Amino acid sequence: MKIDDISSPELHDDLRNQLCSQIESSIEDIEKYVPATAALPDSFSTHLRHTLSQLNYLSPFPNSLKLHIWKLSYRLWNACVDLSNSNAASIQKHHEEHAKLRQVSADLLFLAADVTGIPSSAFKSASFFYKTGLKWHDLRKFELANYCFEKASDLLSKVDITNVSEYEEKKLQVDLNIARSRTAWEVSDRNLAIALLSRSKNVLFAFADNYKALANQYLMFGKAMLSKNEVSGVNEALKLMNEALELCERGLKVVKRTGETLALMELRSKTLRFLGASHLQRDEFESVLKCVKVLRDGEKDQHPSLSVLAMKAWLGLGRFGEAEKELRMVVDNGIPEGVWVSAVESYFQVVGAAGAPAVKGVFLGLLGRCHVSADAAIRVVNKVIGDPAGGGEEARLRAKVVSDLVSDDRILTLLNGDDASKERTAMHALLWNCAAEHFRSKDLQTSADIFEKSMLYVPSDIESRNLRAKGFRVLCLCYMGLSQLDRAQEYINEAEKLEPNIASAFLKFKIYLQKNECDGAISQVQALPSCLDFTTEFLSLAAHEAIACRCLPVAVSSLSLLLNFYYTGKQMATTEVVVFRTLVTILAQDHQNDSDILKQMKRAHSRLREMSVEDFFGKGEIGRRERNWFSVNAWNAGVKTGQENQYAICAEFFRLASEFYGASIDEEKEGNHVMVCKSLIMTVYAIISDEKLRTNTLLENEVKESISLLDRAGKMLTSSSTEYEKLEVIIEPNFLFVYTWCAFDLHSRLDDTGSQQLLLIKRFANLKCCNPKHLLQIGIDASQGPSSNHEVAIFALSTCLSTLLASPSPDYASVALIVRKLVSLRSSHGADTIDDATMETYKQAYRIMVGLKEGEYPVEEAKWLSMTAWNRAAVPMRMAHMDEAKRWMSMGLELANKVPGMQTYRSCMEDFIAGFE
């Protein structure tokens, strides 16, 4: 049945006693509970609340029961206090259960109401609700806290002040208002929070604790608004702090005790400092300095933060001298490390590089007077470094100050301990990054200086070998950029000792290059493949570096070494033909490298024969371009060496050119057969020219090999034209002449080839492109030497003479030469007296002279003809062949008549003939 259904007073009393017994039993369980690491079970508070709600229906209570309930409430409260003092109270759930139990205790006390014999029971109940509300506030249960505070306020308003001291009543009233204000502030009801604080001003009276508590709460709210860094927040913070300052001033006027006065003075100073900070946030620097002045005038032991405030205010006003003085006072006052480090950072942030020396002096001075942590040193160095990106004079000045700072023995000692390994690593990273930025800005001297200082923070143990080697390598790069090559070499030697890898070896190679020590660079290139982390790309890079330094022998050595790796079949980044092309191009820059160029081209040709054409040159248009490059360069090298009379090398180049030109790519049926033909012809021509230059005779097998080359060229020509007479359409006349001349020369060395030689010359003479000079050359060559051919010489010279005379403006110097050669040839192969062919040559010469202007026919040649014709009469005359003699004398006289300057000879001749007749 329900409690409401019970009407008997006796039953009411029994139920009340039973419920109180249950409450007491629960309290006893709580008192016996041993706190553990686990949370306090919620069964206690649940059961108590349930019992309390049942008991509440049975009110009103007799005084004896009220007193009993009162005692139960106090027992429960004291049990909660004991639990709160236990170690397990750190558990959040435990805290909440405590608050619930305290809430039950306060509700029990409130249920008892007025108890006869206990003075000011309402005040004590209000005190319980106030303290319980504080618990809920700490747990951020603001609704429950507000309920307790309001309950306490209602109870406090009913307190009979005759039973309570004025101090206790006013103190609780102020504390309640402040607590309610704090709760309202937390739920963002700021108007109510400020109103509750204002209400407390009326109940302060002359109690120092009240003034202090209220002023302190105003200050707390002000600090909270100040921390938001908003313009409106700063303004509101100023108002609240001014309220706090005013309360402190009022309290100092009414409070007389020394201890209480000191507490208010301390709070006043604290408020003034925060007021200064508020003005600082609003850039009201003059107001900041006023606050500092008031504080300094009124305090013997000044707070260390005053110098920080003053320094920042002077910085804001641009008076850096005063700011530096305040900064030094910051250090001298011995404030916490974080504060002075922050002050140093603020000072340097405003003053910039100009303040770096002052910061250095302050920091080093501090090291000599007090303990400084490694973190503080890193913060200061970081602030002095700033942002070195982009370089410039400011960054350079900062770096110089940093260099002086980090090399100081005191800082080195500070970061040298085993417990400072993290800070040492951080300092190294800081300096390394700073140096790297200066390196990127091309300020190599500053970069080298900072890199060297960073090495001071690298341990010398085995674990740091790689890091130290890295530092030495980057220092090597810096000094290479500064052209201090000896110092760079010292660093790279140290790096190589610590970590012998390809990076160190390559930097060493670059130093040799910059020193122009080609032999050392070549030796270093040869050593590169021995590095464990070597890749062939370093040889390519070495070649590029050597070319940039104009150290071509080193580039040649690098590329030659690189070519060796292609034989292994290893996948390479660059195709082999490109390496060969680059190598030949480099060698071609020196005119004395013809033999080396020939060697590399032969090497390329050898690789071409080992591989397919497309594998070596490439496919499609790329392959054709590569093939044409090698072909053209082999041809040009042959031309160049031929012009320099290096005919042996010339022949090799032209033979290579024929091979390269003959390589076919993709769907080509054959290569450039015309250029192959030309190359073969020039090869044979160079072989013959080399023979004539060295005055050595070709061996029979060499002659046959040369003939086979010419035959190959001839077959290529005739394969494109069935008629020999049309060859001039395919190939230039000069090459046809060289081909003919070489073929004649080689065939003349073999037996039974006279008819072939004559046929060859006749076929050449029938070509439209045949030049008289070519025939003249063939005629002269055929008339000389041990392998001369009389028939070929006569034919060539006669044909040449006819061609010259048929031209509109004959070259009579060449005509005279041919006539002389014909006379000599015909004279040596016939009887002097009956050689009609020789006489015909003289007559032809005479007919040529007829009608010419004086001197048009070479005079000396004409004289020679006249004199030799006259002298030919001597032999017939001795042999009594008078008619033959007279015929030669008449010819000599006729020729003399055409030669100017032979008058005396003519008179003598005429007289001799007259006497002869």
Side-chain angles (χ1 to χ4, degrees):
M1 64 183 171
K2 296 181 181 178
I3 295 176
D4 292 339
D5 298 334
I6 302 174
S7 58
S8 172
E10 292 79 6
L11 291 175
H12 273 235
D13 292 338
D14 292 340
L15 280 174
R16 289 183 190 126
N17 293 330
Q18 183 181 354
L19 291 172
C20 286
S21 298
Q22 291 177 6
I23 293 173
E24 185 174 7
S25 177
S26 296
I27 293 173
E28 288 175 355
D29 291 338
I30 295 172
E31 290 173 336
K32 294 175 183 179
Y33 177 75
V34 178
T37 56
L40 186 69
D42 57 1
S43 58
F44 292 142
S45 61
T46 303
H47 181 263
L48 284 171
R49 282 199 306 271
H50 179 69
T51 308
L52 180 62
S53 65
Q54 289 181 329
L55 185 62
N56 191 34
Y57 283 112
L58 299 176
S59 61
F61 308 118
N63 191 65
S64 60
L65 185 61
K66 287 183 181 180
L67 183 60
H68 183 58
I69 294 173
W70 185 279
K71 292 178 180 179
L72 290 175
S73 173
Y74 265 87
R75 283 181 63 186
L76 179 59
W77 186 270
N78 292 333
C80 290
V81 171
D82 293 338
L83 287 173
S84 296
N85 294 331
S86 66
N87 293 331
S90 60
I91 302 175
Q92 180 66 23
K93 177 69 175 174
H94 212 152
H95 276 298
E96 191 168 342
E97 286 302 313
H98 286 174
K100 291 178 181 179
L101 293 175
R102 286 176 185 265
Q103 183 72 56
V104 172
S105 176
D107 289 338
L108 277 172
L109 202 61
F110 178 74
L111 185 63
D114 297 331
V115 181
T116 304
I118 297 178
S120 64
S121 59
F123 179 83
K124 292 177 180 176
S125 181
S127 176
F128 271 32
F129 276 109
Y130 164 68
K131 293 177 181 179
T132 304
L134 292 178
K135 284 291 182 181
W136 287 122
H137 183 91
D138 292 341
L139 292 170
R140 304 192 66 78
K141 304 286 184 179
F142 299 121
E143 290 185 6
L144 294 174
N146 190 56
Y147 165 78
C148 291
F149 292 145
E150 289 180 352
K151 199 78 172 175
S153 298
D154 291 340
L155 289 168
L156 193 60
S157 64
K158 301 174 183 178
V159 171
D160 183 2
I161 60 174
T162 59
N163 297 323
V164 182
S165 69
E166 185 180 13
Y167 172 78
E168 289 178 343
E169 190 266 337
K170 300 302 181 186
K171 179 72 170 64
L172 181 58
Q173 195 169 355
V174 171
D175 289 344
L176 262 174
N177 286 336
I178 291 174
R180 289 182 65 192
S181 174
R182 287 173 55 211
T183 303
W185 186 275
E186 291 292 347
V187 295
S188 299
D189 192 353
R190 294 181 182 175
N191 292 331
L192 177 61
I194 301 301
L196 287 168
L197 291 184
S198 298
R199 189 184 302 174
S200 301
K201 292 179 183 179
N202 300 323
V203 291
L204 295 176
F205 294 94
F207 301 129
D209 289 343
N210 290 348
Y211 280 102
K212 182 180 177 183
L214 187 57
N216 188 63
Q217 193 57 53
Y218 270 112
L219 178 60
M220 290 301 104
F221 285 165
K223 288 167 63 178
M225 296 297 294
L226 191 64
S227 64
K228 294 186 177 181
N229 234 349
E230 300 173 355
V231 176
S232 60
V234 174
N235 294 335
E236 187 66 26
L238 275 173
K239 293 179 183 179
L240 294 170
M241 291 180 186
N242 280 321
E243 290 284 353
L245 183 63
E246 183 181 349
L247 284 168
C248 290
E249 297 287 353
R250 285 172 55 191
L252 288 171
K253 290 178 181 177
V254 299
V255 173
K256 303 302 180 183
R257 295 177 182 175
T258 303
E260 295 174 345
T261 302
L262 290 176
L264 283 172
M265 286 289 292
E266 184 179 348
L267 183 59
R268 173 180 174 273
S269 299
K270 185 178 181 181
T271 305
L272 277 171
R273 289 196 299 273
F274 278 99
L275 268 173
S278 301
H279 287 301
L280 191 64
Q281 274 193 296
R282 295 178 53 162
D283 294 338
E284 297 172 350
F285 304 116
E286 296 288 351
S287 298
V288 176
L289 293 174
K290 289 179 181 178
C291 290
V292 172
K293 185 176 185 303
V294 170
L295 286 167
R296 284 179 171 170
D297 291 343
E299 294 183 10
K300 294 182 179 179
D301 298 328
Q302 297 179 8
H303 195 276
S305 65
L306 294 183
S307 297
V308 178
L309 286 172
M311 182 202 72
K312 291 183 178 181
W314 288 122
L315 288 175
L317 294 172
R319 298 174 65 174
F320 302 134
E322 286 83 353
E324 184 178 343
K325 292 178 183 177
E326 293 291 347
L327 178 63
R328 296 187 182 278
M329 289 177 65
V330 168
V331 177
D332 292 340
N333 281 332
I335 63 173
E337 182 178 88
V339 177
W340 70 255
V341 172
S342 175
V344 169
E345 290 175 337
S346 300
Y347 175 80
F348 200 77
Q349 184 174 356
V350 176
V351 178
V359 170
K360 182 184 73 172
V362 168
F363 185 64
L364 293 179
L366 181 67
L367 285 172
R369 289 191 299 273
C370 58
H371 172 74
V372 177
S373 70
D375 286 333
I378 292 171
R379 283 182 62 182
V380 171
V381 170
N382 184 37
K383 181 56 67 174
V384 175
I385 287 174
D387 183 10
E393 189 60 35
E394 180 178 345
R396 194 175 297 112
L397 178 58
R398 286 171 178 261
K400 186 178 184 306
V401 174
V402 168
S403 177
D404 294 340
L405 270 175
V406 300
S407 59
D408 189 273
D409 291 339
R410 288 165 289 184
I411 294 184
L412 289 172
T413 303
L414 182 65
L415 295 173
N416 195 34
D418 294 336
D419 55 345
S421 59
K422 290 184 179 179
E423 290 79 5
R424 188 166 54 246
T425 302
M427 179 68 82
H428 176 268
L430 199 62
L431 296 174
W432 182 278
N433 293 335
C434 172
E437 287 296 339
H438 284 285
F439 187 88
R440 280 188 279 271
S441 303
K442 307 301 182 185
D443 187 359
L444 299 180
Q445 187 61 61
T446 302
S447 177
D449 185 29
I450 301 299
F451 273 128
E452 285 179 344
K453 298 305 184 293
S454 73
M455 295 293 289
L456 297 173
Y457 296 91
V458 180
S460 300
D461 53 15
I462 296 177
E463 290 78 7
S464 303
R465 286 170 63 92
N466 293 345
L467 187 59
R468 292 176 61 218
K470 183 180 178 182
F472 285 133
R473 283 195 296 270
V474 77
L475 281 168
C476 170
L477 283 173
C478 291
Y479 285 109
M480 284 176 65
L482 293 169
S483 298
Q484 299 180 26
L485 301 180
D486 290 336
R487 195 165 182 181
Q489 192 162 24
E490 291 176 7
Y491 279 120
I492 201 59
N493 288 338
E494 291 299 320
E496 197 169 32
K497 291 176 184 176
L498 293 170
E499 188 182 17
N501 58 10
I502 188 64
S504 299
F506 192 78
L507 286 175
K508 202 170 183 180
F509 159 76
K510 288 190 66 174
I511 293 172
Y512 281 123
L513 275 184
Q514 293 191 17
K515 284 185 170 184
N516 283 328
E517 296 181 7
C518 289
D519 293 339
I522 291 173
S523 299
Q524 193 64 27
V525 164
Q526 301 295 332
L528 290 180
S530 62
C531 296
L532 295 177
D533 53 345
F534 166 78
T535 60
T536 54
E537 284 78 7
F538 280 97
L539 290 176
S540 300
L541 187 58
H544 286 296
E545 293 285 347
I547 292 170
C549 294
R550 302 301 302 167
C551 197
L552 301 184
V554 179
V556 171
S557 177
S558 301
L559 294 177
S560 299
L561 184 58
L562 178 60
L563 285 171
N564 293 336
F565 288 90
Y566 286 90
Y567 290 94
T568 63
K570 184 179 179 181
Q571 189 68 28
M572 307 290 276
T574 307
T575 58
E576 188 173 5
V577 69
V578 171
V579 178
F580 272 117
R581 171 160 50 82
T582 306
L583 183 54
V584 171
T585 302
I586 294 170
L587 288 169
Q589 295 183 35
D590 189 344
H591 298 296
Q592 306 300 320
N593 288 335
D594 294 325
S595 58
D596 292 328
I597 293 173
L598 177 61
K599 176 183 175 182
Q600 296 303 330
M601 281 202 164
K602 281 185 174 181
R603 192 177 176 185
H605 178 252
S606 175
R607 289 291 290 163
L608 173 63
R609 295 181 65 180
E610 292 175 9
M611 306 164 64
S612 67
V613 175
E614 293 183 355
D615 287 343
F616 183 74
F617 285 126
K619 298 180 180 180
E621 187 59 31
I622 294 176
R624 280 188 283 274
R625 282 201 300 266
E626 293 290 355
R627 177 199 62 188
N628 293 340
W629 189 92
F630 275 89
S631 304
V632 169
N633 277 272
W635 174 273
N636 292 340
V639 172
K640 172 183 171 295
T641 51
Q643 291 171 346
E644 295 172 355
N645 295 334
Q646 300 181 53
Y647 294 116
I649 297 177
C650 172
E652 296 286 351
F653 276 123
F654 279 123
R655 182 172 293 188
L656 285 171
S658 70
E659 295 293 338
F660 288 133
Y661 276 122
S664 60
I665 295 176
D666 290 343
E667 300 300 323
E668 293 178 342
K669 293 183 180 180
E670 55 184 359
N672 192 336
H673 64 277
V674 174
M675 290 306 299
V676 173
C677 181
K678 290 180 181 180
S679 301
L680 291 171
I681 292 171
M682 294 305 297
T683 300
V684 177
Y685 179 75
I687 291 172
I688 297 173
S689 300
D690 182 58
E691 177 198 34
K692 295 182 181 299
L693 180 67
R694 293 186 292 110
T695 65
N696 292 334
T697 304
L698 291 175
L699 300 176
E700 184 177 353
N701 62 329
E702 294 175 332
V703 172
K704 291 180 179 180
E705 182 183 0
S706 299
I707 291 174
S708 68
L709 293 176
L710 281 181
D711 290 343
R712 181 182 163 198
K715 290 177 182 178
M716 296 183 72
L717 289 172
T718 55
S719 66
S720 301
S721 176
T722 55
E723 297 181 17
Y724 188 83
E725 291 75 10
K726 295 182 180 180
L727 285 178
E728 63 267 25
V729 180
I730 303 171
I731 194 168
E732 292 89 337
N734 288 338
F735 285 98
L736 285 174
F737 162 68
V738 173
Y739 170 78
T740 304
W741 180 85
C742 291
F744 166 75
D745 183 276
L746 292 172
H747 282 290
S748 68
R749 302 165 190 260
L750 303 178
D751 297 334
D752 302 327
T753 58
S755 58
Q756 292 182 11
Q757 290 177 287
L758 182 58
L759 178 61
L760 181 67
I761 301 304
K762 285 182 177 182
R763 292 176 66 184
F764 176 69
N766 290 331
L767 295 174
K768 293 179 181 179
C769 64
C770 181
N771 190 312
K773 292 182 179 180
H774 295 161
L775 290 173
L776 176 59
Q777 182 66 46
I778 292 172
I780 292 173
D781 289 343
S783 66
Q784 299 173 352
S787 302
S788 61
N789 189 316
H790 176 75
E791 292 182 1
V792 172
I794 293 293
F795 173 78
L797 292 172
S798 298
T799 306
C800 179
L801 181 60
S802 300
T803 305
L804 286 173
L805 293 175
S807 65
S809 300
D811 181 5
Y812 287 106
S814 297
V815 169
L817 176 61
I818 293 170
V819 170
R820 180 191 281 249
K821 284 290 182 182
L822 285 172
V823 170
S824 299
L825 284 169
R826 286 169 175 165
S827 298
S828 62
H829 289 78
D832 290 341
T833 56
I834 59 175
D835 191 0
D836 293 334
T838 304
M839 176 57 74
E840 183 59 33
T841 302
Y842 278 98
K843 288 180 179 181
Q844 186 179 13
Y846 175 76
R847 289 193 296 271
I848 292 169
M849 292 180 193
V850 173
L852 294 180
K853 296 178 182 179
E854 183 176 334
E856 193 170 358
Y857 192 92
V859 175
E860 294 300 324
E861 290 296 326
K863 285 182 180 180
W864 182 84
L865 286 172
S866 174
M867 296 300 291
T868 54
W870 179 269
N871 291 337
R872 284 180 183 277
V875 175
M877 188 178 291
R878 284 197 296 269
M879 297 177 66
H881 296 161
M882 298 305 175
D883 293 337
E884 183 68 17
K886 184 177 179 180
R887 189 159 67 101
W888 283 112
M889 285 188 288
S890 299
M891 177 54 66
L893 181 59
E894 288 176 4
L895 289 168
N897 290 330
K898 298 296 182 183
V899 181
M902 290 191 69
Q903 292 81 359
T904 304
Y905 287 99
R906 263 198 319 271
S907 299
C908 292
M909 288 180 182
E910 290 172 351
D911 293 342
F912 185 82
I913 290 174
F916 177 77
E917 291 179 349

